[in-house]
Amino acid sequence: TIDPEFASTFSSFDFRAVTKQMHGWFVKLIQDAPPPGSIRALHFGMCEIIDGCELYVAGSNVFDVEDPEWACRTDWAPEGRYAKIDAFSDLWSAVMDKTDEDDAWQAALAAAIVSLSEFLRLSDIRILLKHRELKFSTGFDDGDLYILK
Protein backbone atom coordinates (compact mmCIF):
# COMPACT_ATOMS: atom_id res chain seq x y z
CA THR A 1 0.00 0.00 0.00
CA ILE A 2 1.07 3.55 -0.59
CA ASP A 3 1.84 5.56 2.51
CA PRO A 4 -0.67 8.44 2.76
CA GLU A 5 2.27 10.76 3.47
CA PHE A 6 3.37 10.59 -0.17
CA ALA A 7 0.32 9.26 -2.03
CA SER A 8 -0.39 12.67 -3.57
CA THR A 9 3.23 12.99 -4.70
CA PHE A 10 3.11 9.54 -6.28
CA SER A 11 -0.21 10.26 -7.99
CA SER A 12 1.34 13.24 -9.79
CA PHE A 13 3.98 11.00 -11.43
CA ASP A 14 3.39 11.17 -15.21
CA PHE A 15 3.59 7.51 -16.22
CA ARG A 16 2.65 8.22 -19.83
CA ALA A 17 5.47 10.75 -20.26
CA VAL A 18 8.00 8.46 -18.55
CA THR A 19 6.96 5.51 -20.73
CA LYS A 20 7.42 7.71 -23.81
CA GLN A 21 10.88 8.81 -22.60
CA MET A 22 11.84 5.17 -21.97
CA HIS A 23 10.80 4.23 -25.47
CA GLY A 24 12.82 7.02 -27.10
CA TRP A 25 15.90 6.21 -25.02
CA PHE A 26 15.67 2.46 -25.61
CA VAL A 27 15.06 2.72 -29.36
CA LYS A 28 18.15 4.91 -29.76
CA LEU A 29 20.20 2.59 -27.56
CA ILE A 30 19.20 -0.53 -29.52
CA GLN A 31 19.88 1.22 -32.83
CA ASP A 32 23.31 2.45 -31.68
CA ALA A 33 24.42 -0.68 -29.80
CA PRO A 34 22.18 -3.72 -30.31
CA PRO A 35 22.67 -6.49 -27.77
CA PRO A 36 24.53 -9.52 -29.11
CA GLY A 37 22.58 -12.69 -29.88
CA SER A 38 23.93 -14.35 -26.74
CA ILE A 39 21.94 -12.01 -24.45
CA ARG A 40 19.06 -13.87 -22.76
CA ALA A 41 17.79 -11.21 -20.34
CA LEU A 42 17.72 -7.46 -19.89
CA HIS A 43 17.82 -5.96 -16.42
CA PHE A 44 16.50 -2.43 -15.99
CA GLY A 45 18.32 -1.55 -12.80
CA MET A 46 17.83 1.37 -10.46
CA CYS A 47 20.77 2.94 -8.69
CA GLU A 48 21.08 5.74 -6.20
CA ILE A 49 22.81 8.90 -7.36
CA ILE A 50 23.64 12.09 -5.46
CA ASP A 51 20.27 13.73 -6.02
CA GLY A 52 17.95 10.73 -6.36
CA CYS A 53 18.02 7.60 -8.47
CA GLU A 54 18.58 6.59 -12.06
CA LEU A 55 17.40 3.83 -14.40
CA TYR A 56 19.86 1.85 -16.54
CA VAL A 57 19.81 -1.29 -18.65
CA ALA A 58 22.28 -4.16 -18.80
CA GLY A 59 22.13 -7.51 -20.57
CA SER A 60 23.12 -10.95 -19.37
CA ASN A 61 23.94 -14.14 -21.25
CA VAL A 62 22.28 -16.11 -18.44
CA PHE A 63 18.85 -16.08 -16.84
CA ASP A 64 17.79 -18.13 -13.84
CA VAL A 65 14.45 -17.39 -12.20
CA GLU A 66 15.65 -19.24 -9.08
CA ASP A 67 18.92 -17.31 -8.74
CA PRO A 68 18.65 -13.50 -8.99
CA GLU A 69 22.43 -13.18 -9.15
CA TRP A 70 22.16 -13.59 -12.91
CA ALA A 71 21.27 -9.89 -13.06
CA CYS A 72 24.69 -9.02 -11.59
CA ARG A 73 26.41 -10.63 -14.55
CA THR A 74 26.73 -7.88 -17.13
CA ASP A 75 27.54 -9.12 -20.61
CA TRP A 76 26.06 -6.11 -22.43
CA ALA A 77 26.54 -2.62 -21.00
CA PRO A 78 26.41 -0.17 -23.89
CA GLU A 79 27.38 3.45 -23.76
CA GLY A 80 24.17 5.36 -23.15
CA ARG A 81 22.73 2.66 -20.89
CA TYR A 82 21.65 5.25 -18.28
CA ALA A 83 18.19 6.57 -19.16
CA LYS A 84 18.45 10.12 -17.74
CA ILE A 85 14.75 10.22 -16.85
CA ASP A 86 14.46 12.97 -14.24
CA ALA A 87 10.98 11.93 -13.10
CA PHE A 88 12.42 9.11 -10.94
CA SER A 89 14.78 11.47 -9.09
CA ASP A 90 12.03 14.08 -8.80
CA LEU A 91 9.73 11.51 -7.20
CA TRP A 92 12.56 10.32 -4.92
CA SER A 93 13.26 13.88 -3.76
CA ALA A 94 9.59 14.72 -3.23
CA VAL A 95 9.07 11.63 -1.08
CA MET A 96 12.32 12.22 0.83
CA ASP A 97 11.03 15.69 1.72
CA LYS A 98 7.97 14.11 3.36
CA THR A 99 9.20 10.82 4.85
CA ASP A 100 12.42 8.81 4.62
CA GLU A 101 14.77 6.94 2.30
CA ASP A 102 12.88 3.64 2.58
CA ASP A 103 9.73 5.28 1.27
CA ALA A 104 11.71 7.11 -1.42
CA TRP A 105 13.25 3.98 -2.91
CA GLN A 106 9.92 2.12 -2.66
CA ALA A 107 8.12 4.92 -4.49
CA ALA A 108 10.79 5.13 -7.19
CA LEU A 109 10.82 1.35 -7.63
CA ALA A 110 7.02 1.17 -7.81
CA ALA A 111 7.05 3.91 -10.45
CA ALA A 112 9.75 2.04 -12.38
CA ILE A 113 7.86 -1.27 -12.26
CA VAL A 114 4.64 0.33 -13.54
CA SER A 115 6.45 2.41 -16.19
CA LEU A 116 8.59 -0.49 -17.43
CA SER A 117 5.63 -2.88 -17.52
CA GLU A 118 3.70 -0.38 -19.61
CA PHE A 119 6.75 0.28 -21.81
CA LEU A 120 7.20 -3.47 -22.46
CA ARG A 121 3.48 -3.90 -23.13
CA LEU A 122 3.11 -0.98 -25.54
CA SER A 123 6.43 -0.78 -27.33
CA ASP A 124 7.67 -2.59 -30.37
CA ILE A 125 10.49 -4.04 -28.29
CA ARG A 126 10.22 -7.52 -29.86
CA ILE A 127 10.65 -6.00 -33.33
CA LEU A 128 13.58 -3.87 -32.13
CA LEU A 129 15.20 -6.98 -30.69
CA LYS A 130 14.53 -9.00 -33.85
CA HIS A 131 11.76 -11.07 -32.24
CA ARG A 132 14.09 -12.61 -29.69
CA GLU A 133 12.51 -14.06 -26.57
CA LEU A 134 14.18 -12.22 -23.72
CA LYS A 135 13.38 -12.01 -20.03
CA PHE A 136 13.12 -8.61 -18.36
CA SER A 137 13.61 -7.53 -14.76
CA THR A 138 14.03 -4.47 -12.58
CA GLY A 139 15.15 -3.63 -9.07
CA PHE A 140 17.49 -1.44 -7.11
CA ASP A 141 21.15 -2.42 -7.02
CA ASP A 142 21.67 -4.55 -3.89
CA GLY A 143 17.90 -5.01 -3.57
CA ASP A 144 15.23 -7.45 -4.63
CA LEU A 145 14.83 -8.45 -8.27
CA TYR A 146 11.41 -8.24 -9.95
CA ILE A 147 10.77 -10.24 -13.13
CA LEU A 148 8.68 -8.15 -15.51
CA LYS A 149 8.00 -10.43 -18.44
Side-chain angles (χ1 to χ4, degrees):
T1 62
I2 297 176
D3 186 324
E5 286 287 322
F6 64 86
S8 63
T9 303
F10 191 80
S11 67
S12 66
F13 188 87
D14 190 346
F15 290 98
R16 187 170 293 135
V18 169
T19 300
K20 187 175 179 178
Q21 282 182 287
M22 281 181 184
H23 186 266
W25 159 72
F26 195 73
V27 166
K28 180 167 178 15
L29 185 67
I30 294 300
Q31 289 172 341
D32 292 350
S38 59
I39 297 299
R40 296 192 53 219
L42 295 179
H43 177 65
F44 292 90
M46 299 286 289
C47 60
E48 290 184 51
I49 57 176
I50 291 172
D51 56 349
C53 60
E54 190 166 47
L55 181 76
Y56 66 91
V57 67
S60 177
N61 292 341
V62 297
F63 173 80
D64 184 346
V65 72
E66 300 297 323
D67 181 10
E69 291 300 310
W70 70 263
C72 298
R73 180 175 169 177
T74 302
D75 299 301
W76 177 69
E79 188 172 321
R81 69 184 169 273
Y82 290 92
K84 310 288 188 227
I85 297 173
D86 293 336
F88 293 116
S89 285
D90 294 345
L91 177 62
W92 174 285
S93 297
V95 173
M96 283 288 286
D97 288 346
K98 294 180 180 183
T99 63
D100 62 18
E101 189 172 354
D102 274 351
D103 286 341
W105 75 257
Q106 288 178 29
L109 181 58
I113 289 170
V114 172
S115 299
L116 285 163
S117 295
E118 191 69 357
F119 161 68
L120 292 171
R121 187 180 73 78
L122 294 175
S123 76
D124 51 0
I125 194 166
R126 298 278 182 223
I127 294 169
L128 289 170
L129 297 169
K130 300 183 181 348
H131 299 283
R132 292 172 36 203
E133 286 299 318
L134 297 175
K135 301 297 183 184
F136 302 95
S137 68
T138 192
F140 263 95
D141 292 355
D142 298 323
D144 292 335
L145 186 71
Y146 299 89
I147 305 300
L148 297 170
K149 211 172 186 184

